Amino acid sequence: MPEAIVALGETRRVVGRLHFESDGRRQHSRFEYDREWLEAGDRFRLAPSLTLRDGGFFAAGRGDRRNALHACFRDAAPDSWGRALMTRALGGGLTEFDYLTLSDDRTRHGALRFLDDGLEPLSRLSPPVPRLVELERLRTLTHQFERDPDGTDEAVLDLAGAAGSLGGARPKASVQGEGQLWIAKFTSRNDRRAVERAEVATLRLAAKCGLRVPEARLELVRSESPVALIRRFDRRGEVRIPYISVQTALEREGAEGGHYTDIADIIRQISSQPAEDLLELWRRLIFTILVSNTDDHLKNHGFLYSGRDLWRLSPAFDINPAPTRQRMLQTGILEGEPFEASLALALEAARHFDIEREDAERTASRMAAVVNGAWREAFRAEGASAGETDAFTAAFQHEAMERALALA
């Protein structure tokens, strides 16, 4: 039965032990806290549902094998892109425990580490973290892997080490530079729009609207396949900061969805600054509607640990405008209502975030004016051509935008 010591940060402070079992068809795990951790004055729950007590917490992969690990451990494991790389590098038949523990220890999300009894990482994919100057080489490797996953033997281990621990489905890798760790997001060979230019431009728009976002910039700007660099917000130099997704905080599994009001409820329970986080989340909802972000599922919201068993809403990330006619959200606004990108529903929901209706309308109008007046210039500033910019028009010019502007 494979198992791992679960530890935190660069000090490798032991928190507990993770046990895993698989019979080829079924997989399940048990986590239990270490006695010293439970008795420590600065202990905290790894997730709201993992209460500080003796005994095991069980997870079973019924329906979806990924559920064989508790959600806080799934947050530290790779998603589609990283899993594909790891499978190619290490071979088929990997268990959920393998995907979690064998991926690169240095670059995985958050502060959790998975160690052997000698307190050494179990990871088997640990080539040097690439530097910023290697972006062009990494971009070439990702395109090669997308084009022919079976034909990249010489480079796949390097690529799996750089990207295997990251979440999401799109091609990406970890890089280091300027004393920081970054996520490099690459244009996919299948893209039909300037996705990476759009993401960086949209993060800049979010900052203009006063939202908290990570530092972001575009590299290889003049090429047809620029690279979006996003600074990791779960690192402060060498310090790793504990992180959980909202999906984990809400105890949701797989594709199970939720609502922004659900997130508001958990903010009230676990946030060290609930009033600030409630306002921030509602403003992110308005921004999501204004820019037609359709990537707002529960894994794309998160919390960073802030001390005393409390958390803070993480900076916003993975905001991707989508110029589609069906303006739907992946996280609903109000329970019982359709998952439409509806300004009316967002304004109705404001009271659930302790925001008065008049203040909500004023905020929505102000944000709409910023986005409407600046989005084209933001795209041009990231090197988007007139045609590339026009391709996103429907994401920014729509009925919800018009209604928000009319609130002034």
Side-chain angles (χ1 to χ4, degrees):
M1 180 174 70
E3 59 183 50
I5 292 174
V6 180
L8 282 175
E10 293 305 303
T11 62
R12 309 186 191 194
R13 184 175 178 188
V14 175
V15 173
R17 188 175 287 266
L18 178 65
H19 308 266
F20 188 85
E21 289 190 31
S22 172
D23 62 6
R25 293 182 300 124
R26 291 182 296 271
Q27 301 182 30
H28 55 91
S29 65
R30 183 180 85 255
F31 169 73
E32 53 192 50
Y33 285 113
D34 184 81
R35 166 52 50 188
E36 288 189 15
W37 176 258
L38 290 175
E39 294 175 351
D42 58 348
R43 68 192 186 280
F44 64 91
R45 296 167 292 172
L46 296 187
S49 62
L50 293 182
T51 54
L52 295 167
R53 62 166 176 80
D54 289 318
F57 297 86
F58 295 86
R62 301 185 188 93
D64 184 344
R65 58 182 290 183
R66 300 191 191 196
N67 294 335
L69 296 171
H70 187 277
C72 71
F73 302 128
R74 297 199 300 271
D75 285 339
D79 282 334
S80 303
W81 173 252
R83 289 165 76 98
L85 289 169
M86 289 185 66
T87 300
R88 178 68 183 85
L90 301 177
L94 297 178
T95 67
E96 295 306 303
F97 184 83
D98 294 330
Y99 284 119
L100 173 67
T101 60
L102 301 185
S103 58
D104 183 43
D105 168 72
R106 299 155 306 172
T107 59
R108 70 172 74 251
H109 288 316
L112 292 179
R113 305 182 72 180
F114 304 93
L115 313 176
D116 62 22
D117 286 338
L119 296 185
E120 292 299 323
L122 290 167
S123 172
R124 286 169 50 189
L125 295 170
S126 299
V129 179
R131 297 168 297 157
L132 290 177
V133 294
E134 299 177 74
L135 282 177
E136 195 159 2
R137 179 181 72 87
L138 290 171
R139 182 181 65 177
T140 299
L141 295 181
T142 61
H143 288 176
Q144 288 176 353
F145 183 79
E146 281 192 305
R147 183 172 58 251
D148 183 12
D150 295 323
T152 54
D153 284 338
E154 295 182 5
V156 73
L157 279 172
D158 278 350
L159 194 56
S165 62
L166 298 177
R170 291 183 56 79
K172 59 179 66 67
S174 295
V175 293
Q176 60 182 356
E178 303 167 5
Q180 303 294 335
L181 191 62
W182 306 75
I183 295 177
K185 296 188 173 185
F186 303 102
T187 301
S188 171
R189 296 179 67 254
N190 301 317
D191 286 341
R192 297 293 178 265
R193 294 190 291 267
V195 176
E196 310 314 324
R197 296 188 198 277
E199 179 168 2
V200 173
T202 304
L203 285 174
R204 296 196 187 284
L205 285 173
K208 281 181 176 291
C209 289
L211 300 181
R212 292 191 290 111
V213 297
E215 180 183 348
R217 69 174 188 260
L218 210 64
E219 295 289 337
L220 306 178
V221 179
R222 299 185 182 279
S223 70
E224 293 184 358
S225 300
V227 180
L229 276 184
I230 315 294
R231 181 173 166 180
R232 290 278 295 270
F233 52 70
D234 60 343
R235 296 289 192 275
R236 294 194 189 101
E238 296 296 321
V239 177
R240 307 182 188 212
I241 305 170
Y243 170 86
I244 57 172
S245 68
V246 162
Q247 183 181 65
T248 292
L250 292 176
E251 300 179 54
R252 304 295 164 86
E253 294 186 345
E256 185 181 3
H259 299 81
Y260 279 88
T261 47
D262 296 330
I263 306 176
D265 289 340
I266 198 67
I267 283 174
R268 288 187 173 90
Q269 296 174 39
I270 70 172
S271 173
S272 60
Q273 298 289 335
E276 293 181 15
D277 281 349
L278 286 170
L279 177 59
E280 173 78 11
L281 179 65
W282 185 82
R283 294 171 73 239
R284 290 183 192 180
L285 167 59
I286 294 298
F287 188 77
T288 280
I289 293 170
L290 293 175
V291 304
S292 302
N293 174 34
T294 61
D295 205 19
D296 67 326
H297 55 78
L298 296 180
K299 289 277 282 186
N300 278 349
H301 301 277
F303 292 98
L304 293 172
Y305 185 62
S306 62
R308 296 181 301 169
D309 202 23
L310 295 171
W311 302 75
R312 284 299 309 271
L313 197 64
S314 76
F317 60 98
D318 282 1
I319 305 176
N320 297 290
T324 59
R325 292 183 179 180
Q326 295 289 86
R327 301 187 64 255
M328 304 297 291
L329 303 173
Q330 291 197 45
T331 297
I333 300 176
L334 287 165
E335 188 172 356
E337 298 291 348
F339 278 45
E340 295 177 358
S342 166
L343 178 67
L345 282 178
L347 291 172
E348 181 183 342
R351 56 190 172 86
H352 294 278
F353 299 79
D354 300 333
I355 303 169
E356 297 293 336
R357 177 67 181 230
E358 184 177 340
D359 292 334
E361 291 182 355
R362 186 182 304 112
T363 298
S365 174
R366 184 168 58 248
M367 292 177 66
V370 171
V371 173
N372 186 60
W375 77 268
R376 286 187 176 275
E377 177 55 35
F379 272 64
R380 286 194 292 268
E382 301 307 327
S385 67
E388 288 174 328
T389 301
D390 287 342
F392 283 88
T393 298
F396 296 93
Q397 295 182 5
H398 45 75
E399 183 181 2
M401 176 68 78
E402 294 174 0
R403 290 188 175 185
L405 291 169
L407 293 171

